[in-house]
Amino acid sequence: MQRDELFNRNNQEYTLSEEESKRISILKVWLTVMVLFIHSYSEAVIVTVENGSYDTKLWLEILKYTLSQAISRCAVPGFFIISAILLYKKPFKWKDNIEKKAKTLLVPYVILNGFWILFFIITQNIPSLSIYFPNEETIVANWGIIQWIDAFVGFLNGYPMLYPLWFVRDLFVLNLLAILIKKIIDIAPNTMFLFLIMMWLLLNGTHLFFLDIQGICFWGFGYLIVKKNVSISSIDHIRPKVFLFIYVVLIILDVATRNSFLNLIVHRFNIIVGILFWFSCMTKFKTTNINRVLLWFSSFSFSIYLFHEMNLTIL
């Protein structure tokens, strides 16, 4: 059998209804908005005044954490799950998939990262702007071959020069490894599910080589949804008011425990419930004019993700 054999040749395809597909598209819009909140978050903001400086008020810190961490941190895991579902839901050839992903992921990744480096080079050579680059590691003129490679790959600290592109990089690599990941999970799906949960709980925030552990885990969860033929609409069986109550309680606990070890569990559980909650909310738009607007915006969600950090940094 050829190397580029169809994945899942002997397995039944995973079916997404038209309504579920629309819900996923709409969810992408909201996940993108949450990514903007994540990247605009700063743990410490010092406001300088004429007679000194003062830290931001406690209520503002709580509001920042609630919006950017407790609520929005489910965005990137949600994107990984969706990407895996959309890939594995039907048979594909590895070569054809990589050719497609090279055009949609790899090429934009290289171009935008290169543009960002060029932007740094230009601004660092303008005296009035060079003062905004106090970090010696970002001075392109001081780079050696290792720093240049790291600027594009991000193998030293996990992030490329334009750091939000780590998601695009990881997504491309996970597509490269898609069939291998499938075969590993297929050996013992239930055991691998538990292993992925434990890996996410204990190693979240770390990297395997340069791949984010969280991305690997939620990509695996996405494949397991397909393999187990779990309908994503099954979440609708939970009563909305009960779901909302659980989610609000978890958000409050997440904020309350944000500086304690207990937050390790609370925050992770909140992410899972958040993904499910926001997907369930997408049903509210399926019969309204808002639905058409959100579906139109969904076609720009990836572009917004790619370009938002440039705008935030420049502003």
Side-chain angles (χ1 to χ4, degrees):
M1 189 172 292
Q2 295 181 351
R3 184 178 180 178
D4 286 335
E5 63 180 332
L6 286 174
F7 153 77
N8 215 16
R9 180 184 295 274
N10 297 318
N11 293 348
Q12 185 177 359
E13 291 187 26
Y14 180 81
T15 302
L16 284 174
S17 67
E18 181 180 357
E19 188 268 340
E20 288 174 332
S21 297
K22 288 181 178 180
R23 288 168 69 172
I24 287 177
S25 295
I26 295 173
L27 180 59
K28 288 180 181 178
V29 177
W30 180 235
L31 295 181
T32 301
V33 172
M34 289 195 286
V35 168
L36 300 183
F37 275 106
I38 293 172
H39 290 164
S40 61
Y41 175 75
S42 177
E43 292 186 355
V45 177
I46 305 298
V47 180
T48 302
V49 295
E50 185 177 353
N51 297 321
S53 63
Y54 60 90
D55 293 330
T56 51
K57 301 296 184 180
L58 178 61
W59 69 266
L60 182 56
E61 292 296 334
I62 292 175
L63 178 62
K64 285 163 47 185
Y65 184 90
T66 301
L67 293 176
S68 297
Q69 304 297 308
I71 293 176
S72 297
R73 277 294 172 182
C74 65
V76 175
F79 272 125
F80 277 113
I81 287 180
I82 289 172
S83 299
I85 291 174
L86 294 179
L87 176 66
Y88 289 115
K89 71 184 180 68
K90 61 183 180 180
F92 65 88
K93 287 186 177 180
W94 183 87
K95 181 180 179 182
D96 292 344
N97 180 52
I98 296 306
E99 288 178 350
K100 177 182 177 182
K101 294 304 190 297
K103 295 177 182 178
T104 58
L105 296 176
L106 184 59
V107 171
Y109 175 86
V110 173
I111 291 176
L112 289 176
N113 211 45
F115 174 82
W116 197 232
I117 294 172
L118 179 62
F119 172 78
F120 270 60
I121 293 174
I122 293 173
T123 52
Q124 287 170 2
N125 283 279
I126 299 175
S128 60
L129 298 178
S130 61
I131 59 174
Y132 295 103
F133 299 90
N135 189 349
E136 289 291 327
E137 295 181 358
T138 63
I139 305 300
V140 181
N142 298 335
W143 288 359
I145 184 64
I146 298 298
Q147 286 71 31
W148 271 99
I149 295 174
D150 182 57
F152 278 95
V153 180
F155 64 89
L156 292 180
N157 64 3
Y159 302 100
M161 187 67 172
L162 186 55
Y163 80 91
L165 293 184
W166 72 265
F167 169 77
V168 180
R169 175 204 61 196
D170 284 19
L171 197 57
F172 181 73
V173 174
L174 288 169
N175 273 274
L176 284 173
L177 302 175
I179 294 179
L180 175 62
I181 292 172
K182 172 203 176 296
K183 290 182 177 179
I184 292 174
I185 293 178
D186 284 347
I187 295 173
N190 295 334
T191 301
M192 286 304 303
F193 174 68
L194 295 176
F195 175 77
L196 290 172
I197 289 179
M198 293 303 299
M199 186 165 68
W200 177 52
L201 289 174
L202 300 176
L203 300 178
N204 186 48
T206 62
H207 296 83
L208 179 62
F209 299 106
F210 55 78
L211 288 177
D212 182 68
I213 290 295
Q214 179 174 246
I216 297 173
C217 293
F218 280 88
W219 177 275
F221 295 151
Y223 170 62
L224 283 166
I225 289 174
V226 173
K227 181 175 178 61
K228 296 292 186 178
N229 198 28
V230 178
S231 171
I232 54 180
S233 294
S234 59
I235 193 66
D236 297 339
H237 294 133
I238 301 177
R239 293 173 60 185
K241 291 183 179 179
V242 174
F243 211 163
L244 177 61
F245 175 78
I246 294 173
Y247 189 39
V248 170
V249 169
L250 280 172
I251 291 173
I252 293 173
L253 289 175
D254 194 341
V255 174
T257 62
R258 65 189 184 279
N259 296 319
S260 71
F261 179 77
L262 184 61
N263 188 255
L264 174 69
I265 302 298
V266 174
H267 185 64
R268 302 292 186 273
F269 193 50
N270 186 32
I271 287 175
I272 296 293
V273 174
I275 294 172
L276 299 175
F277 175 80
W278 291 117
F279 182 83
S280 69
C281 285
M282 297 305 107
T283 60
K284 311 306 177 186
F285 305 117
K286 64 183 180 181
T287 58
T288 67
N289 290 330
I290 298 176
N291 178 46
R292 289 193 292 271
V293 175
L294 292 175
L295 286 173
W296 179 77
F297 267 111
S298 70
S299 61
F300 301 102
S301 59
F302 186 61
S303 297
I304 294 172
Y305 180 89
L306 289 178
F307 288 99
H308 77 276
E309 180 60 27
M310 293 181 178
N311 295 323
L312 284 174
T313 301
I314 292 173
L315 293 174

